[in-house]
Amino acid sequence: MLARALEELRGSLYNELRTSEGAKRQQQRLCGPVVALTFNFLVSVGIIMGNKLVMGKVGFNYPILLTLIHYTSAWLLLAVLKALSLLPPSPPTKTTPFSLLFALGAVMAFASGLANTSLKHNSVGFYQMAKIAVTPTIVVAEFILFRKIVSFYKVLALAVVSVGVAVATVTDLEFNMFGACIAIAWIIPSAINKILWSNLQQKRNWTALALMWKTTPITIFFLVALMPWLDPPGALSFKWNLNNSMAVLISALLGFLLQWSGALALGATSATSHVVLGQFKTCVILLGGYLLFSSDPGYASICGAFVAICGMSVYTSLNINETRDASNHIPKQTFDNQNEKTVANGV
């Protein structure tokens, strides 16, 4: 009897994972907002260290090529999962136009590639200013595309977060014209990239891995096209010894985990919440350096980080209250509908 029950459970789980809807439900059960955001936060900190090692100590100063290696490695890992039948199925083709997947793959290439190029050509302060501009861009873009309206209190909390992060991180604004153009060009693709990742998972039953499998080849194509324009010459003459190769491979593995965790976080929350998580990470790194390693970012930076974290706490609280209100409202509607059906049947 127990063996039969276990076999039926295994069969039901297998059938559940054979459909896009079932795989999406499993992703939601196993990776809720807290798990997804925590996973993404930890990987983000790790890849910062990995990329600093690769582009600093190793001297691999080819940001688009590094991004291309990340996505190619991710696609190879996804191909292995596909061969082992571990990759979640995609929704039916008719539910998602190819043009939408193509657009996501393209903007993902520009968002990732231009971010690394901007960091190379601009100071950290100017790079952070561009990141802060992504938040209002997402709010405006979601209103234009989906008529999504953000409450006044959320806008106020996001404004506090942006001001706090600006005070905490923007210590210099050194840039050249090329770097400034790259930073400005990166803002819109970054915002659209996050919006599409979130919308396709929440509205069209895509899982993170299935969406990565479909869009990564398109991203690779556009990165190959961008590389001659944005990377400096000399990539083929780079010294590929064992240590350098291992550093790049570790960075590539972290890049896959970052893409996966970011997709999970966007599927579990929203584009705006994902940006706020990135700003929270920046503040934690700044305050952690001050508390643990006695670094001195300055009084203004510390105050700015605390202000930003307070704004993030208010924003998170507003999101939790909205989710609770929505979950309380749905059962009430269902109960009212059932009562109406009962009355109708009685009549």
Side-chain angles (χ1 to χ4, degrees):
M1 182 68 71
L2 179 61
R4 182 178 178 182
L6 290 174
E7 182 64 24
E8 289 178 354
L9 178 62
R10 188 192 69 81
S12 65
L13 287 174
Y14 180 81
N15 292 331
E16 177 84 351
L17 294 174
R18 290 302 91 195
T19 64
S20 60
E21 294 86 355
K24 183 67 172 66
R25 285 192 294 269
Q26 286 295 326
Q27 176 176 295
Q28 289 173 334
R29 291 192 197 107
L30 297 174
C31 199
V34 175
V35 174
L37 291 172
T38 303
F39 180 29
N40 186 236
F41 173 77
L42 294 175
V43 175
S44 298
V45 174
I47 200 168
I48 288 173
M49 302 301 203
N51 283 348
K52 278 187 176 181
L53 175 66
V54 170
M55 301 186 76
K57 186 176 180 181
V58 173
F60 192 83
N61 295 314
Y62 309 99
I64 302 296
L65 178 56
L66 182 62
T67 309
L68 176 63
I69 292 172
H70 285 183
Y71 279 95
T72 304
S73 302
W75 189 80
L76 292 174
L77 288 171
L78 291 170
V80 172
L81 294 178
K82 180 77 171 177
L84 296 174
S85 300
L86 296 175
L87 196 69
S90 304
T93 307
K94 61 182 180 181
T95 63
T96 307
F98 176 75
S99 59
L100 197 56
L101 298 176
F102 185 85
L104 176 56
V107 297
M108 193 158 50
F110 283 94
S112 301
L114 293 178
N116 288 335
T117 307
S118 174
L119 188 57
K120 179 185 175 183
H121 289 280
N122 296 311
S123 66
V124 175
F126 194 82
Y127 176 75
Q128 288 294 341
M129 282 295 290
K131 285 182 67 176
I132 292 169
V134 172
T135 303
T137 304
I138 288 175
V139 173
V140 172
E142 286 188 325
F143 175 75
I144 293 173
L145 296 174
F146 309 115
R147 290 296 181 265
K148 181 178 179 181
I149 300 175
V150 180
S151 68
F152 171 76
Y153 293 109
K154 275 192 175 182
V155 171
L156 192 60
L158 290 172
V160 171
V161 171
S162 298
V163 171
V165 172
V167 172
T169 59
V170 181
T171 55
D172 62 335
L173 289 175
E174 295 179 6
F175 62 93
N176 54 48
M177 186 57 65
F178 179 75
C181 290
I182 292 294
I184 294 170
W186 167 78
I187 293 171
I188 293 179
S190 178
I192 299 299
N193 179 50
K194 294 178 186 299
I195 292 170
L196 288 178
W197 271 104
S198 182
N199 183 265
L200 284 171
Q201 290 184 83
Q202 294 181 10
K203 305 295 184 183
R204 299 178 186 262
N205 285 326
W206 283 89
T207 60
L209 289 174
L211 198 52
M212 287 167 63
W213 171 251
K214 289 291 186 180
T215 56
T216 299
I218 301 168
T219 302
I220 291 172
F221 171 79
F222 277 95
L223 286 172
V224 171
L226 283 174
M227 193 164 57
W229 297 93
L230 298 178
D231 268 357
L236 295 178
S237 61
F238 180 74
K239 189 180 294 184
W240 289 99
N241 56 38
L242 180 61
N243 291 335
N244 292 349
S245 300
M246 286 300 297
V248 172
L249 285 176
I250 291 172
S251 175
L253 177 61
L254 290 172
F256 166 74
L257 293 176
L258 180 68
Q259 186 187 358
W260 184 27
S261 64
L264 289 172
L266 286 165
T269 57
S270 67
T272 309
S273 297
H274 190 253
V275 174
V276 171
L277 173 69
Q279 294 169 337
F280 174 73
K281 171 194 66 182
T282 301
C283 293
V284 167
I285 291 173
L286 188 148
L287 293 175
Y290 172 72
L291 296 173
L292 299 177
F293 304 108
S294 300
S295 64
D296 186 15
Y299 179 75
S301 294
I302 295 171
C303 290
F306 275 117
V307 169
I309 289 176
C310 290
M312 293 169 197
S313 301
V314 173
Y315 177 80
T316 303
S317 176
L318 292 171
N319 272 341
I320 292 172
N321 290 336
E322 281 188 6
T323 304
R324 187 186 298 118
D325 292 342
S327 62
N328 290 337
H329 184 61
I330 292 172
K332 184 179 184 302
Q333 284 185 328
T334 305
F335 181 73
D336 291 341
N337 291 338
Q338 288 175 345
N339 283 343
E340 290 175 6
K341 289 181 181 177
T342 303
V343 171
N345 290 335
V347 174

